[in-house]
Amino acid sequence: MKISVIVTPKKNVLDPQGVAVGHALESLGFPKLKTTRVGKLIELEIEAVDSPEFRARLDQVCKDLLSNPVIEDYRYEIISK
Amino acid sequence: MKVAVLQFPGSNCDQDAFHLFASGLKLNTRYVWHKDTTLGDVDLVVVPGGFSYGDYLRCGAIARFSPVMKAVQAFSQQGGLVFGICNGFQILCEAGLLPGALIRNASLEYRCITCALKVEASTPTFNPETLGATIKLPIGHGEGNFRIDEAGLARLEANKQILLRYQNNPNGSLSDIAGIRNEAGNVFGMMPHPDRAFERFHPSMDGLKVATAVLATKFPQLIKRTA
């Protein structure tokens, strides 16, 4: 199974990287940006069967390790079975 | 009084921290490797600065799951003293031993300067009377921008958990926060380096007072030594 975990800075948390990237985009003449946020994409490939138990374990590692709930949100997508 | 300094792959201030306590305060000090599952007989655990596990994923995120951190969790739950400096502070936040998190400096720059810090009245041993109203300590970090939600900040303020605030905020930290303690008052964390401020050739010698204030939480007789 292939899974993509997407980790983004929380909406209300300052994202200095995103601000800098936004400035760079503007200096390239890109249309005025409302926001630019920089996050992480974590790709997992594992031998597992999709089940409620598996999803619960996945949520747990997303909360414990892959993201820090104080400053980040996460979501994941099952890319292929 | 016995001090243990943790060592993770990528720690690079472990020797500085060791000498702060061994040479600066003349205490029985030893290293504890990150794979150790016990701390042994110890009164203070120091989590030193550096780039544990290359700061991969997030600062402190991987170190938090090191075998030794289970022992540190148990030690702190029994009221043991724990002191995180720089990357050590980030590790303690990731481990949930301290509230909040540290993100990229607002300037996006790595800041390596000596900072004037306002000492807050936090504990009977960590306050302006024992440390002075302002102290100077070096910082060296790219991710020292302290963040916590509004309710969390209100709790820090109400419980007097803020130890130090920057006079000129170098990293965008919320409320100029440079160091905090946990509510129980036995876990301390700060971005500035007391371990780089205890020799005559250092920018200041205030690191001795800070280390003493932490230790004096359990050993109040220490305060007389430097006061």
Side-chain angles (χ1 to χ4, degrees):
Chain A
M1 185 173 7
K2 286 186 179 174
I3 304 160
S4 287
V5 179
I6 299 118
V7 180
T8 51
K10 270 195 195 300
K11 291 272 183 298
N12 55 352
V13 171
L14 176 84
D15 175 21
Q17 264 193 110
V19 173
V21 171
H23 288 322
L25 284 169
E26 278 176 23
S27 74
L28 289 174
F30 203 67
K32 182 83 181 155
L33 293 144
K34 270 191 184 157
T35 52
T36 316
R37 315 284 285 170
V38 175
K40 292 186 191 95
L41 170 66
I42 300 156
E43 293 179 323
L44 308 174
E45 194 173 348
I46 46 176
E47 303 248 349
V49 179
D50 194 6
S51 66
E53 292 74 29
F54 176 74
R55 297 267 178 144
R57 288 193 72 184
L58 184 57
D59 272 308
Q60 201 58 49
V61 294
C62 284
K63 283 177 201 153
D64 287 349
L65 177 63
L66 300 181
S67 76
N68 178 341
V70 178
I71 46 172
E72 295 168 327
D73 292 320
Y74 74 87
R75 63 180 194 278
Y76 57 79
E77 289 163 15
I78 310 275
I79 303 296
S80 64
K81 299 272 176 192
Chain B
M1 241 168 288
K2 295 189 179 75
V3 180
V5 177
L6 304 189
Q7 287 182 308
F8 299 94
S11 295
N12 66 6
C13 298
D14 42 337
Q15 299 198 17
D16 306 59
F18 183 95
H19 285 292
L20 167 61
F21 290 93
S23 321
L25 292 177
K26 310 256 185 294
L27 296 176
N28 180 338
T29 308
R30 63 190 162 80
Y31 294 115
V32 175
W33 184 234
H34 72 115
K35 284 195 170 160
D36 290 348
T37 50
T38 54
L39 295 164
D41 181 18
V42 70
D43 299 300
L44 168 69
V45 173
V46 181
V47 192
F51 299 86
S52 56
Y53 297 91
D55 275 355
Y56 293 161
L57 198 60
R58 294 178 308 281
C59 311
I62 315 273
R64 178 221 160 160
F65 291 100
S66 274
V68 76
M69 286 307 292
K70 270 198 182 148
V72 174
Q73 288 267 9
F75 178 72
S76 73
Q77 275 158 17
Q78 289 154 15
L81 287 178
V82 181
F83 185 19
I85 301 167
C86 199
N87 188 223
F89 181 22
Q90 295 163 341
I91 294 169
L92 295 180
C93 287
E94 279 284 340
L97 290 178
L98 287 172
L102 295 135
I103 66 164
R104 190 72 60 98
N105 291 352
S107 64
L108 291 175
E109 291 171 337
Y110 186 96
R111 285 279 160 89
C112 189
I113 48 169
T114 299
C115 285
L117 301 158
K118 183 173 174 282
V119 177
E120 298 288 327
S122 183
T123 78
T125 64
F126 207 110
N127 55 57
E129 285 69 47
T130 58
L131 293 170
T134 357
I135 58 170
K136 276 186 179 173
L137 290 178
I139 60 160
H141 61 247
E143 280 153 315
N145 186 341
F146 183 79
R147 295 283 131 186
I148 195 164
D149 61 15
E150 259 178 59
L153 180 63
R155 272 197 300 276
L156 286 179
E157 298 277 9
N159 299 329
K160 298 186 184 299
Q161 284 172 254
I162 298 161
L163 302 169
L164 298 167
R165 288 186 215 256
Y166 300 108
Q167 277 192 347
N168 296 300
N169 194 331
N171 53 27
S173 218
L174 196 67
S175 286
D176 303 323
I177 289 172
I180 58 167
R181 64 169 171 86
N182 66 346
E183 197 175 338
N186 64 316
V187 180
F188 298 79
M190 61 182 63
M191 289 313 294
H193 279 276
D195 52 328
R196 294 182 193 171
F198 67 95
E199 300 269 19
R200 268 176 299 171
F201 57 81
H202 282 152
S204 90
M205 289 177 68
D206 291 339
L208 288 173
K209 291 194 283 187
V210 169
T212 304
V214 170
L215 270 166
T217 308
K218 286 279 160 73
F219 305 95
Q221 70 273 19
L222 275 176
I223 285 291
K224 288 183 198 104
R225 275 172 66 161
T226 51

